[in-house]
Amino acid sequence: MPELIEPVIGLIGGSGLYDIDGLEEREWRRVFTPWGEPSDELLFGRLAGVRCVFLPRHGRGHPTPPSALNYRANIDALKRAGVTEILSLSAVGSLREDLPPGHFVIVDQFIDRTFAREKSFFGTGCVAHVSVAHPVCPRLGDALEGAARGLGLPVTRGGTYLVMEGPQFSTKAESELYRQWGCSVIGMTNMPEAKLAREAELCYATVAMVTDFDCWHPDHDHVTVDQVVKVLLGNADKAKALVKAVVPELGKPRGLCPAGCDRALDHAIITAPEKRDPALLQKLDAVAGRVLRAA
Ligand SMILES: CSC[C@H]1O[C@H](OP(=O)(O)O)[C@H](O)[C@@H]1O
Ligand SMILES: Nc1ncnc2[nH]cnc12
C-alpha cells in the first residue's frame, strides 16, 4: 500500500482577510526562512480536526503592498510549517460583464505581467525550470467548486487572472487590452506566488473574489479602495464559509497528487551536482530538500 499523506492546509488570506474564524488550538508563531521575513507570523490551528496554517498575505493591518511582499519567504515559511496544499483567497477586479462584484472565480490560468519581484527560489548555482503550464491544482479546484456550489455561492470554474504590478489600478487602455486577451479577472498578487508554490511542490489554487468591475466598465469608470473594501467585507464572510466547508474535504488522508504538483522538481534541476553552490543548496532545504537529498 502506498503511504497516505495527512494534508496540512495552507490558507493565504488576501485583502480583507487577516484572520480565520473557528480555528481551534490557534497560535500565531514566527517562522524563520532563509529568504527573509514572511508577511507576518503564521497562525497555526485546526479546523474540524484538520491542521491548517494561515498567513495574511499583506500582514495584519495590511502594511505591505503587492510589490514589496516577500513571496519567497511566504511560500518557504508555509512549506517549512508542513503545509501540503495552498488555498489562496484574493480580491480581484472583473474583466467580464458576467462576473459581477460578489462573484467567485476558481481561476485555472494566469498571465504574469509583474516585473519587480523575485520569481524563483533557484538561480546561479542551482538552475531549475519547472512547468507551470497548468499552474492550478485541479484536485483543489474540484474541491473548491464542490464546496462553493454546496453553499450556493455564485461561482464560476475556470478563468484567467491577469497579474499586474500595481499598486495603481489599470488604465482604461490596459483594462481593455486584457479583456481582448480573454482574461477574466485582474489582481496584483497571485504571481509569483503560484510559480513559487509549484517550485516548492505545493498544490495551489485561488479563489478570486470579485470586488469591482475594473475601469473598462461604464459603471466603474474609476476603481477606488472604498468601493473595493465595501464589497470585500461581504466577500470575506462568504470566503470564511467556503474555507470551513472545503477544509474537511481536503484534509482527508490522500495519496500523491494526481496532477503531480508534489513532484514538480523530479526533472527540473539542470545544474550538474559538482557545479551546485552549497550555500544556495542550504537555502533550498525546505523547498527542494526532497530531490536534493535524494541526489
Ligand atoms: C485592496 S484592492 C487591491 C489589492 O487587493 C488584491 O490583493 P489580494 O490578492 O491580496 O486580495 C489585489 O491584488 C491588490 O493587492
Ligand atoms: N480592479 C482591480 N485591479 C487590480 N487589483 C484589484 N483588486 C481588486 N480589484 C482590483
Side-chain angles (χ1 to χ4, degrees):
M1 260 289 269
E3 217 179 293
L4 287 182
I5 296 157
E6 288 274 350
V8 179
I9 316 298
L11 299 160
I12 302 183
S15 300
L17 271 170
Y18 310 107
D19 203 337
I20 284 287
D21 295 344
L23 212 58
E24 288 157 2
E25 301 170 34
R26 45 186 281 136
E27 190 187 352
W28 287 95
R29 270 192 252 152
R30 191 164 177 203
V31 174
F32 294 89
T33 88
W35 309 97
E37 290 277 334
S39 301
D40 203 333
E41 293 177 327
L42 273 55
L43 175 61
F44 291 76
R46 285 183 188 269
L47 265 182
V50 179
R51 284 173 63 201
C52 293
V53 184
F54 172 76
L55 176 65
R57 180 182 283 119
H58 302 272
R60 280 167 286 180
H62 209 123
T64 315
S67 307
L69 291 175
N70 188 338
Y71 293 93
R72 293 191 300 187
N74 286 353
I75 297 296
D76 180 282
L78 289 168
K79 177 93 184 182
R80 240 167 244 287
V83 159
T84 53
E85 28 253 276
I86 294 180
L87 300 181
S88 141
L89 301 155
S90 274
V92 293
S94 170
L95 296 168
R96 279 175 33 181
E97 191 77 57
D98 61 337
L99 302 175
H103 204 87
F104 284 16
V105 187
I106 300 163
V107 298
D108 57 2
Q109 281 296 334
F110 298 98
I111 293 180
D112 184 1
R113 294 258 303 159
T114 65
F115 49 83
R117 306 172 185 196
E118 293 289 351
K119 296 199 181 191
S120 179
F121 290 108
F122 297 90
T124 307
C126 190
V127 178
H129 303 282
V130 296
S131 167
V132 284
H134 303 287
V136 171
C137 176
R139 189 176 55 82
L140 299 190
D142 288 346
L144 285 167
E145 182 184 9
R149 295 206 188 282
L151 291 166
L153 299 177
V155 65
T156 294
R157 177 76 185 270
T160 299
Y161 171 140
L162 185 296
V163 196
M164 62 181 295
E165 187 60 50
Q168 300 83 1
F169 294 116
S170 340
T171 65
K172 195 164 178 188
E174 288 164 341
S175 195
E176 276 163 0
L177 177 68
Y178 305 148
R179 273 166 54 72
Q180 281 173 28
W181 286 356
C183 299
S184 303
V185 294
I186 181 163
M188 304 176 192
T189 60
N190 277 211
M191 284 294 180
E193 192 173 88
K195 287 176 175 167
L196 293 166
R198 177 59 52 81
E199 287 190 345
E201 301 192 314
L202 296 171
C203 298
Y204 181 93
T206 280
V207 183
M209 304 180 293
V210 176
T211 52
D212 54 276
F213 281 115
D214 202 38
C215 62
W216 64 273
H217 196 280
D219 295 349
H220 279 209
D221 199 27
H222 296 281
V223 181
T224 66
V225 167
D226 330 353
Q227 190 187 64
V228 166
V229 167
K230 230 182 255 164
V231 183
L232 259 183
L233 298 178
N235 283 351
D237 287 341
K238 291 191 262 178
K240 287 175 183 173
L242 179 59
V243 166
K244 242 184 215 162
V246 80
V247 163
E249 181 58 33
L250 287 177
K252 292 179 184 156
R254 62 165 175 86
L256 293 175
C257 171
C261 306
D262 49 7
R263 296 170 318 279
L265 293 176
D266 269 359
H267 306 289
I269 299 178
I270 192 165
T271 307
E274 69 279 9
K275 293 285 182 184
R276 294 181 189 169
D277 170 9
L280 178 54
L281 296 187
Q282 205 171 341
K283 287 175 82 171
L284 289 166
D285 65 338
V287 159
R290 186 187 71 83
V291 283
L292 294 174
R293 278 191 292 271

